[in-house]
Amino acid sequence: MGWLVDYANVAAKVEPLIRGELDHRTLNDVPGLENPTSEVLCVWLWRRLAPALPGLTAITVHETCAARCTYRGG
């Protein structure tokens, strides 16, 4: 149908791996995010999601509509 990945499949991976760790928490209190810059957050997210989403090519974190960081693995 022209989809690359069904959003429901992505959400099923993100919910337990990411949302459970970050929801209703101060980022500075999460291990590995003591300095939660957008760059650090991109790498932190990548390390958790890449093994569960083999087709993942990039993660972008937006701080504002004009400031963002993209991480493409590595």
Side-chain angles (χ1 to χ4, degrees), residues 20-21 31-32 51 61-62:
E21 285 191 70
V61 172
H62 291 258

Side-chain angles (χ1 to χ4, degrees), residues 2-38:
W3 292 15
L4 294 174
V5 177
D6 187 331
Y7 180 74
N9 294 339
V10 174
K13 304 293 184 186
V14 170
E15 287 296 320
L17 292 173
I18 304 302
R19 190 170 181 167
E21 285 191 70
L22 299 182
D23 194 30
H24 292 90
R25 301 218 25 218
T26 302
L27 293 180
N28 299 75
D29 295 337
V30 176
L33 292 178
E34 295 83 7
N35 180 25
T37 64
S38 57

Side-chain angles (χ1 to χ4, degrees), residues 33-58:
L33 292 178
E34 295 83 7
N35 180 25
T37 64
S38 57
E39 296 86 356
V40 170
L41 187 54
C42 275
V43 174
W44 188 90
L45 290 166
W46 181 274
R47 290 182 179 154
R48 279 154 183 77
L49 291 175
L53 298 169
L56 186 65
T57 60

